[in-house]
Amino acid sequence: MKTIRTATDLALNGAPPAFAEPLHVGRPNIGDRAALLAQFERILDARWLTNNGPLVQEFEHRIARHLGVKHCVAMCNGTIALEIAIRALGLHGEVIVPSWTFIATAHALYWQGITPVFADIDPSTHNLDPNAVRSMITPRTTGIIGVHLWGRAAPIEELQAIADKHGLQLMFDAAHAFGSTYKGRTIGQFGRCEVLSFHATKSFNTMEGGAIVTNDDELAEATRLMRNFGFSGYDNVIHPGTNGKMIEVCAAAGLANLEALGATQSGNRRTHAAYKQALGNITGVTVLDYDATESNSHHYVVAEVDERCTVTRDQIVAALHAENVLARKYFWPGCHGMKPYRELFPHAGRVLPNTELAAERVLVLPAGPSISSDEIEQIASTIRVMCQWGLGGF
Ligand SMILES: *Cc1c(COP(=O)(O)O)cnc(C)c1O
């Protein structure tokens, strides 16, 4: 029988982990090195490092064209892009968001003095449940931020109908959804605007970076002003603002990585399919599928460990960590369970049963184009043996 070790076992007997180097979730994708260095040369030649430089302008045009959207306003990161979008939409009071998302979605609101109100998810998609959204609307609600979790589109039409009916603003956190589609249309065109993240760990990265994409001319103009301290021309400040500018180095990385996009995505799909196959026959472990009729980066390999499994999700995480496989339990315990929001809403969990279930079950595995099929098989066999033998396998 194959032996599964915990971190404690390893510490006691000093046995080496299965992998000498740690395998991370969100290992950065790096495109062609020569292409990247050539872009860096352009920056040095032009001696233009930031402040809406030529590479940022080119990057914005390329992204807008790629997504089929009128405006791309590039930013230093996705969180600042969310904050600027939230200000530009004039959100205040309460805004409805999922709790099952990366903490930045909630923080971007709270940092702007707005109360994030957490609505529950549909357990089959991990995206906002429209009925849950409806139940959280109060007279103070001014907007909804939908999140396209794991790159799968939120229920856009239902959310838009709710927003229209109640006079609310709708925008999307599309940090996971670069290149995803909804009913065949590319994410980026929906709501008043959508916000992308190009953080190093995302499927497509600019090292750090983000953008607001929209078809709304006025909104695009307002966010451009806010991104650059409200400057219109050299000396004329016409609006309050902040520093949300993307630097040229980040645009350079984006331009190089855009060239590598096809290879990254086919690698991601291969990895997802290999995990699907390798974890396919384990009772109590289900790898989340993506809709075959829509585009998705397949960047996230998300498994759910349910009560049919003989071991818990946390026991699997501990065993994988002992083998240097740094699987993650994103976004445990849900935003509502994190200290700032737990103190604000101590009973939020009562109306978030599906979020709490996902938080107990979800396991995100190291993926991406750079992981090998042998590594995937080794990871899967660790999980398989644990699930077959339980903790008795130790
Ligand atoms: C990564 C991420 C963000 C934040 O983006 P940064 O570029 O890291 O600031 C926001 N929302 C979600 C859902 C994310 O995954």
Side-chain angles (χ1 to χ4, degrees), residues 123-161:
S124 68
T125 63
H126 288 194
N127 275 325
L128 274 178
D129 170 1
N131 287 326
V133 171
R134 262 182 224 108
S135 73
M136 303 310 281
I137 296 173
T138 75
R140 296 189 69 226
T141 310
T142 59
I144 304 167
I145 302 182
V147 180
H148 306 304
L149 210 74
W150 316 128
R152 185 204 308 267
I156 293 173
E157 283 172 359
E158 291 93 327
L159 294 177
Q160 189 64 62

Side-chain angles (χ1 to χ4, degrees), residues 72-236:
C72 168
V73 185
M75 303 272 177
C76 55
N77 61 55
T79 305
I80 294 291
L82 280 170
E83 289 180 19
I84 289 178
I86 287 163
R87 301 243 354 173
L89 290 188
L91 298 180
H92 57 95
E94 295 175 0
V95 171
I96 298 171
V97 284
S99 169
W100 192 235
T101 176
F102 181 58
I103 194 69
T105 322
H107 276 352
L109 288 164
Y110 200 47
W111 202 248
Q112 297 295 319
I114 298 166
T115 306
V117 171
F118 300 116
D120 209 7
I121 51 166
D122 175 337
S124 68
T125 63
H126 288 194
N127 275 325
L128 274 178
D129 170 1
N131 287 326
V133 171
R134 262 182 224 108
S135 73
M136 303 310 281
I137 296 173
T138 75
R140 296 189 69 226
T141 310
T142 59
I144 304 167
I145 302 182
V147 180
H148 306 304
L149 210 74
W150 316 128
R152 185 204 308 267
I156 293 173
E157 283 172 359
E158 291 93 327
L159 294 177
Q160 189 64 62
I162 294 170
D164 292 345
K165 181 169 173 206
H166 295 272
L168 306 176
Q169 304 273 6
L170 175 65
M171 59 174 269
F172 292 97
D173 177 341
H176 290 189
F178 182 73
S180 293
T181 58
Y182 174 76
K183 300 194 174 173
R185 287 175 63 199
T186 312
I187 293 297
Q189 6 244 312
F190 300 103
R192 291 288 310 282
C193 66
E194 304 209 54
V195 173
L196 301 166
S197 166
F198 308 127
H199 184 253
T201 55
K202 304 299 201 268
S203 64
F204 167 73
N205 82 81
T206 62
M207 302 189 175
E208 284 271 7
I212 295 172
V213 285
T214 181
N215 288 325
D216 183 323
D217 299 342
E218 276 177 39
L219 187 63
E221 194 47 40
T223 59
R224 280 186 190 283
L225 276 174
M226 291 181 190
R227 165 180 83 168
N228 187 31
F229 312 102
F231 270 109
S232 169
Y234 284 112
D235 305 307
N236 194 19

Side-chain angles (χ1 to χ4, degrees), residues 260-298:
L261 208 55
T264 304
Q265 301 223 332
S266 57
N268 281 345
R269 271 194 293 277
R270 200 168 54 235
T271 294
H272 190 267
Y275 267 118
K276 233 10 250 173
Q277 166 112 35
L279 296 171
N281 286 320
I282 304 177
T283 306
V285 176
T286 316
V287 177
L288 231 72
D289 251 331
Y290 294 108
D291 183 344
T293 66
E294 302 282 7
S295 295
N296 185 296
S297 68
H298 288 72

Side-chain angles (χ1 to χ4, degrees), residues 372-386:
S372 73
S373 50
D374 285 350
E375 288 170 329
I376 293 171
E377 188 39 54
Q378 171 95 41
I379 292 168
S381 103
T382 300
I383 298 174
R384 195 181 308 122
V385 173
M386 267 200 106

